Amino acid sequence: MPGGGPGRRRVLPYLLVLPGVAWLVLFFGLPLVQLAAASLYDPTGSLSTGYVFAWAFGNYPDALATYWPHLARSFGYAGLALLLALALGCPLAYAIALRAGRWRNLLLVCVVAPMFTSFLVRTLAWKTILSDQGWLVGLLRDVHLLAPDGRLLATPFAVVLGLTYNFLPLLVLPLYASLERLDRRVLEAATDLYADPLRTFLTVTLPLAKPGLVAGVLLFFIPASGDYINAELLGSPNEYMVGNVIDSAFLVRLDHPQGAALSFLLMAAVLGLVVTLLRHTRGEGSPALDGGAR
Amino acid sequence: MPDDDPPGGDLHLVDLSKRFGRVTAVDSVSLTVPQGSYFALLGASGCGKTTTLRMVAGLERPTGGRVLLGDRDLTGLRPYRRPVNTVFQSYALFPHLDVFDNVAFGLRRRGVREVPEQVRRMLALVQLDGYERRRPGQLSGGQQQRVALARALVNRPRVLLLDEPLAALDLTLRRQMQGELKRLQTDLGTTFVHVTHDQEEAMTLADTVAVLHAGRVEQLGAPADLYDHPASAFVATFLGQCNLLAAEAAGTAGDEVAVTAYGLRLAVPADRARADRGAVHLGVRPEKLRLAGTADEVPAGHQQIPAVVTDVTYLGSGTRYLLRTGWGGELSAYTVNDGTGARLPVGAAVLAHWVPRHAFLLPRDPVERAAAPAGEPVGAPG
Amino acid sequence: MPDDDPPGGDLHLVDLSKRFGRVTAVDSVSLTVPQGSYFALLGASGCGKTTTLRMVAGLERPTGGRVLLGDRDLTGLRPYRRPVNTVFQSYALFPHLDVFDNVAFGLRRRGVREVPEQVRRMLALVQLDGYERRRPGQLSGGQQQRVALARALVNRPRVLLLDEPLAALDLTLRRQMQGELKRLQTDLGTTFVHVTHDQEEAMTLADTVAVLHAGRVEQLGAPADLYDHPASAFVATFLGQCNLLAAEAAGTAGDEVAVTAYGLRLAVPADRARADRGAVHLGVRPEKLRLAGTADEVPAGHQQIPAVVTDVTYLGSGTRYLLRTGWGGELSAYTVNDGTGARLPVGAAVLAHWVPRHAFLLPRDPVERAAAPAGEPVGAPG
Amino acid sequence: GVEGARQDPQDCVTEDRSASEPTLAFSNWPQYLDVDEDDPTKRPTLDDFVARTGIRVTYTEDINDNNEFFGKVRQQLAACRGIDRDLIVLTDWLAARMIGFGWIQQLDPARLPNVRANLLPQLANRSFDPDGRIAVPWQSGLAGLAYNGRVTREVRTVDELLTRPDLKGRVTLLSEMRDTMGLLLQSAGHDPANFTDDQFDAALARLERAVAAGQIRRFTGNDYAPELARGDIAACLAWSGDAIQLAAGDERVRFVAPEEGVLLFSDNLLVPKTATHRANAERLIDHYYDPAVAARLAAYVNYICPVRGAREEMERIDPELAANPLIFPDDALLNRARVFMTLDEEQERRYETAFQRVIGA
Amino acid sequence: MSGRVARWLVDRWVVGVALLVLGYLLLPIAVVAALSFNQPTNRLSYDFHRFTLDNWANPCATRDMCDAVVRSVQVGFLATLVATVLGTMMAYALTRHRFRGRSGIGLLVLLPMATPELVLGTSLLALFVAAGAPQGFWTVVVAHVMFCLSFVVVTVRARLAGMDRRLEEAAMDLYATEWQAFRRVTLPLLLPGIAAAALLAFSLSFDDFIVTNFNAGTTVTFPMYVWGAAQRGIPPQVNVVGTAMFALALLLVALTSLPRRPSRPHR
Ligand SMILES: Nc1ncnc2c1ncn2[C@@H]1O[C@H](COP(=O)(O)OP(=O)(O)OP(=O)(O)O)[C@@H](O)[C@H]1O
Ligand SMILES: Nc1ncnc2c1ncn2[C@@H]1O[C@H](COP(=O)(O)OP(=O)(O)OP(=O)(O)O)[C@@H](O)[C@H]1O
Ligand SMILES: [Mg+2]
Ligand SMILES: [Mg+2]
């Protein structure tokens, strides 16, 4: 930022972030501290007898030892879904931002509006579409892409598909927002320099839209890795993710220390990935950690 | 990819037009750029130069007409399929790439070998060695433009389009780059189409100059022809400064055309008249106008107009005088500061005189449509 | 807000410096721009002109030094508190506003009345009436630059900073805008600081010119002084073309300095020598150099060098000759096409001669540091 | 740490404001109350109650799942804070847990004459409410088998579900541990009301093998129903109320009460400790134990009606439903039906954890 | 002719792919729309049985559902408003200023997204219970603002990063204070990003079940209604609402954007 700094300027950023940060600290940070404490409770406690805070760090290795396959699956499925979403979302965001002309807003809403139709309804609609008796499975069986007794539902495929579907708008929106402000002259320069559309996209468009891409990847991957409803509705027990385990720990098994420990393990893993990702993209105006402040 | 193309050929624009909504930016332009020539598109701001160039590059789809390279119709071709490169008016550098990678971009897309050598050579040429690792945002305007130039030139295209490539450079560097451009063009035999609003640049570099006006080609020819024998008032004033006197021509008599302007009877050689009857412009360039203190000093056979000096501008290598004529018109005269002759003071009464061969006649619309009103000096000596 | 400010005053830059990491863009520049004067900052690409201007505007925080307007220290002030407006080199038009709203922006921020009238008047001035409702993206480069100009001028600031405001305009329009700028500046009494790399522009417009070189002020003075009596080889070559001969001076004898160059004994008036002993440059501008076929034609008292014509460039109003001297150096000569004298052919043996008063002497570093090697022509006649 | 959730009855006393406030907040499961076929905005039996007593009832269908609901209210109840509900409907085992925590108010038998008179004897004297003073059944149901005759031949036993190769991948079980394990225990010849750890472990091992072999497609809540109707699921564990609905759409969808036994469960009306309108709640409870009202309700929800005398009333409304053993079960069926054992907290955690591990979470 | 079509497609394969992806996104909506015209055989069936317009004729047939929809819209609106304003402020400060704790705050903003919703929901509930705040409409709004905030910040920040700063400089040079420069230049240019963020926030809020469910008390939002209803089969009116919301959003945008200026110029 140009210019010198009388006092007002130095407090301005703090004034700007204050309400949001206060909100987060109050309604997210505080409960989180509580949760952190819960993850260190003596695991032998129960609802009726109460829990004793015991620095029980053992909860973490215990949870990890039992549920690492679920964690791995979470990241595996979310990662696969992310790849799929990138393959689908990039052309979509690109087309909306740069090719749609006056249809842009309409298409944008087409991307988001499905979310107005409840999550559950959409997922159930997918069940209809992927049904063993449905036309899609029938077609796939006819062309021998699927064994005669093969199915789509209750398979990893359905889970990844569901994850991709449900979180795709989260990837597309920020990507779109950053593609939309791209300087077209630069894209023209690339085509002029022998880059076909694909190369232009990969070598110029995408790097320039990196802040949006990074944001989209974060918005997609983070919730996707914590999701459990797709696994529950579209998968089978063999597809359950760590979200399902946390759900069951908190609601069914009432093992709160374990639930809390698993939550933190998930968060730590996600944040680890996120920070690595941001580290990689830093210096090129990565939006999330470093901002664009030059 | 350009390397697989059949060899170039002349570049033909056939009836090329471009409309943006109700604005007609380019209005059925037809011209031929001979292969290997240095061609300049000269015109005022907003006359459609950039748009024409963009259509050649394939970045703008023509509303009508065609672009041909030799026998090949480029009109529908995508930009990256055309053996054509552009130096953009706004640079359009890749902000996420450093200088080196910007210049290497085209080479890499074509899978060329020896990228580093070629890039280094090119950067040296535009005097940017040592700047390889800077991002465009860390360069000055002129430095950016040089990167843009290097980025296009390094590809050695069949046709290089340059959109005011030197506008942001200082004169020293511009001279030097002009020299380099000309040399490169001659060495490579590439066709250069150079858009500029600097007529000196156009005249220095180009084999052929096309003057564009309001989306149409106003005149096309060798620089000297355009300067010495312009086809219209617009060209006359756009290519250097010109004094235009509104006059009436009375037809050819012998090898001269007699004209009357503001009560003065003057004559112009017939071969320098583009009109010999009715409303005409009599044009004399400022540097052809000489100033005498008394009638004795005016050589025989010269035409003359009495006037008063109203302004003197020192321009380093020369001096520009503004003169007011008896009828209130303004004339501009330019003398070179070669050390002879004292400077005239403001208010001095002088006789502006010229050799008849140095004047020319142009048709004049009864309603003026030239860029500047007649009788006023426009433009400057090259 | 500028209206509440105490009246302006001279603009002082005191030891102003700016470093970007290891790059020193501006290196302790001190200069004073008198109130109401037209000041030009002239320099090669990348010499720090834009950076200097940005520090005056408050857009860049100086690494060291201060900016004063009259007695008032502006150094720490926010841009919108400074009675200073800028025409940006890159236009920086607001893409979401149309032309009218772009120009009206500053007025509205200050709550000025009669916005539409003022904006209209300004748009008429830059010849953009009728373009009010276009967005910047729908304008040509030159049109955009004119909008930028109008947007700053309409605010009638105390100090107007112009960063190459005319670079994208064609000559006709540039001339016209130069006239308008000058007129506005005189009418309003505003201090103009005009960054340019076009020395003709600087000399036409400015009362005072500062030549910047590598972040430092190389020379400061009236245009004619700079041209006629440059302080360094850089200034000599940057302001117009100049022939510089490496020579050895033997000290002042009477009112002349005797020098030896390439075996020739030459003399320069003592009041035109900035050095009179040791390694010097002898400078003669191309337009001061005349060409004679035989020794008889050389007037008495002239200095002379035999040479051969190697290149002839027709420039419309004049002709440029390149000459090769006996020792392999190059000289440039410029003659105005005033209709006298025939053009010399390439290969002709000539004597280049000049009046001793037209030459000047500059100190020469044993190791050359001028922008271009001596003995080669650089720059062009204004 | 946190303190135990158990409330001492003395610590959390709520004043009953029924006398001054004729209102009642009633939370129930979706579609668990009759709706007028012609005007879906009307709920006839409830509207009658309002008309008759003048008590304004705020009826909310916000209980979707026992576990989820428990998670939603447990912190408030443990802290003796109101949950804005005077009457809730929860399944036996959760009712038992909440009663155990001391979160439920005792009712006044004197104000429940219809209940005393008409409650089915099989539903009296349940272990978590021996005196019948705290949890009154709303509806009951059976957990058994269902299959879709369009896509498979008849299924008669739980064993077939776990082993028949033609059903592989097309079988779902219930994610409710008591239902699935209860039926498995019965199919192994054990009594779900009274079993040992070893018996449980053996049954679970059998389940685990079936899961590992890919026999079991999913563990479901109510959402098995559309899949069964569609035929994606060939056979499954199911609840009787759903089966009747499904059979109404396609009569080849059949509910089977296996010979080895079925599981009986009830959803119970409970008045939370912090509810302020207990008396009003009691009036509503008693209203629904009027056989005529119960019959109308049963005609809509199709679960087992816990009210004696409702069957006779039903004959007048819909004789066909009156004859349906899944709404008014005969003694033979009732004799095969068992209620799952009430588990203490330790057992519950052990069984639930083991079961959850097998079903994937 | 077919050659031209093929070429058009090759030229615009991106558009083709995009349309396919859009199809993928809209496929379930098509199913939902179809089912909104369904006369189901019984309360447990989601499959198409018989065509009827009844569901559309009485979209509020099911008591409570329309209340729930209205409530969800209200919550979504409020939460979007607050989250967008706070989030944009944060994003602006984080991108345009350097100050202590900036990267810490950047991380804090990401954390809620990395937290399983269930955890967000239960731990927030614990807070409300401890503070003695009655659950209901306002606790839902508070919760929604909390998780929407992160999404807004990330989205807006992505657009701000790399936005041409010279424009803000030009504005300040033209007497715009920092606020005015933001209001007159940054904000309008940021608007597509903010709009995208707001859209995202609204749809996240409108669609949220888990966090809401824990903090809603007896308030019922549309997703809660749907989850409840789904236990016993989804009433076709839910499909009507889903389809209608979708159509409404399209219609609104179509109305506001169609009569606008033509496509953007090339520069
Ligand atoms: N996208 C557009 N929409 C509307 N009008 C346009 C558009 N692009 C250019 N124009 C108009 O078309 C005319 C020609 O523009 P062009 O850019 O070709 O001019 P130019 O000759 O390159 O001018 P300059 O020397 O100023 O760059 C101008 O009047 C311009 O305003
Ligand atoms: N942000 C930056 N980071 C690093 N170097 C910079 C930055 N901005 C400018 N420079 C360097 O500082 C020097 C001066 O730049 P400046 O823009 O002032 O030049 P200029 O005189 O305006 O040149 P031009 O005539 O080409 O516009 C240049 O060498 C440039 O590369
Ligand atoms: Mg242009
Ligand atoms: Mg500059």
Side-chain angles (χ1 to χ4, degrees), chain D residues 84-214:
Chain D
D84 299 329
R85 298 173 183 88
D86 298 314
L87 191 58
I88 55 180
V89 176
L90 296 175
T91 306
D92 301 324
W93 60 268
L94 182 55
R97 182 195 290 167
M98 305 226 332
I99 292 166
F101 285 166
W103 293 350
I104 308 297
Q105 297 194 33
Q106 297 256 340
L107 304 174
D108 180 358
R111 303 178 59 115
L112 299 168
N114 283 337
V115 177
R116 271 185 297 152
N118 299 331
L119 180 63
L120 274 186
Q122 285 89 344
L123 293 170
N125 307 324
R126 290 173 299 168
S127 60
F128 56 86
D129 182 22
D131 309 333
R133 297 190 44 148
I134 193 160
V136 178
W138 169 254
Q139 298 288 300
S140 289
L142 296 174
L145 300 179
Y147 66 91
N148 186 335
R150 254 187 316 120
V151 294
T152 186
R153 57 194 166 78
E154 188 177 14
V155 180
R156 304 185 61 90
T157 64
V158 172
D159 223 41
E160 289 179 59
L161 286 187
L162 297 188
T163 53
R164 237 171 70 180
D166 65 312
L167 294 178
K168 183 173 179 206
R170 298 199 291 157
V171 173
T172 66
L173 307 183
L174 294 166
S175 55
E176 193 73 82
M177 182 264 285
R178 287 170 177 80
D179 292 332
T180 295
M181 291 311 293
L183 285 163
L184 274 166
L185 283 165
Q186 282 179 317
S187 95
H190 307 306
D191 181 358
N194 186 9
F195 58 89
T196 66
D197 280 3
D198 289 343
Q199 290 169 346
F200 182 90
D201 290 344
L204 192 65
R206 206 148 66 91
L207 177 61
E208 189 166 12
R209 278 197 300 278
V211 170

Side-chain angles (χ1 to χ4, degrees), chain C residues 40-309:
Chain C
L41 266 179
L42 191 63
S45 169
C47 73
K49 305 182 295 292
T50 298
T51 309
T52 307
L53 227 55
R54 286 172 60 83
M55 288 192 287
V56 176
L59 298 170
E60 203 82 68
R61 192 193 300 253
T63 315
R66 287 182 305 147
V67 176
L68 305 170
L69 187 60
D71 306 330
R72 215 165 135 220
D73 191 341
L74 300 185
T75 319
L77 232 50
R78 312 280 301 143
Y80 50 88
R81 294 242 160 261
R82 302 187 184 206
V84 167
N85 281 117
T86 311
V87 179
F88 289 86
Q89 184 169 18
S90 50
Y91 323 152
L93 299 181
F94 303 126
H96 60 299
L97 300 179
D98 60 23
V99 168
F100 185 95
D101 290 336
N102 259 287
V103 176
F105 191 93
L107 297 178
R108 293 203 174 124
R109 291 297 79 70
R110 290 188 298 147
V112 167
R113 303 228 215 127
E114 303 183 340
V115 170
E117 291 74 30
Q118 296 201 35
V119 171
R120 290 250 155 63
R121 205 170 329 130
M122 209 62 225
L123 284 179
L125 189 69
V126 296
Q127 302 188 359
L128 280 177
D129 8 23
Y131 287 75
E132 285 87 351
R133 292 295 155 225
R134 293 243 202 130
R135 296 275 173 112
Q138 299 171 309
L139 297 176
S140 78
Q143 289 162 341
Q144 289 183 37
Q145 203 164 36
R146 279 179 278 160
V147 176
L149 201 54
R151 187 176 67 171
L153 273 179
V154 80
N155 296 294
R156 317 216 152 185
R158 294 260 183 286
V159 178
L160 183 71
L161 307 176
L162 303 115
D163 197 355
E164 316 206 356
L166 309 177
L169 305 185
D170 60 84
L171 200 54
T172 316
L173 197 59
R174 189 151 71 211
R175 284 288 151 167
Q176 216 168 321
M177 293 302 302
Q178 278 175 5
E180 291 299 345
L181 283 178
K182 185 77 192 168
R183 193 177 55 67
L184 264 160
Q185 192 265 335
T186 323
D187 288 1
L188 303 173
T190 307
T191 312
F192 274 35
V193 180
H194 184 126
V195 156
T196 177
H197 53 240
D198 177 340
Q199 88 278 29
E200 190 199 319
E201 191 167 292
M203 295 179 78
T204 314
L205 289 172
D207 307 322
T208 315
V209 175
V211 179
L212 236 62
H213 182 46
R216 306 185 133 272
V217 178
E218 188 96 5
Q219 191 177 355
L220 190 149
D225 284 355
L226 261 62
Y227 191 83
D228 281 346
H229 210 166
S232 70
F234 177 79
V235 176
T237 52
F238 195 77
L239 260 83
Q241 219 170 352
C242 193
N243 297 301
L244 290 181
L245 308 181
E248 295 295 324
T252 312
D255 53 1
E256 280 201 338
V257 181
V259 293
T260 326
Y262 307 103
L264 295 170
R265 328 200 101 258
L266 303 164
V268 175
D271 60 348
R272 299 202 32 95
R274 291 199 184 255
D276 68 352
R277 202 165 283 283
V280 292
H281 274 307
L282 187 152
V284 192
R285 298 214 174 261
E287 73 273 11
K288 301 281 159 54
L289 218 52
R290 283 177 247 163
L291 305 181
T294 60
D296 305 348
E297 295 172 27
V298 179
H302 279 208
Q303 315 260 312
Q304 66 185 63
I305 295 179
V308 176
V309 175

Side-chain angles (χ1 to χ4, degrees), chain E residues 22-69:
Chain E
L22 213 58
Y24 166 64
L25 280 174
L26 296 184
L27 189 60
I29 304 298
V31 173
V32 171
L35 289 179
S36 74
F37 295 103
N38 183 23
Q39 167 125 59
T41 39
N42 62 62
R43 280 178 258 145
L44 292 180
S45 167
Y46 308 153
D47 287 353
F48 202 85
H49 176 58
R50 192 182 313 128
F51 181 85
T52 177
L53 285 173
D54 291 356
N55 309 318
W56 283 89
N58 321 299
C60 281
T62 317
R63 209 197 265 193
D64 302 342
M65 189 185 71
C66 286
D67 291 351
V69 172

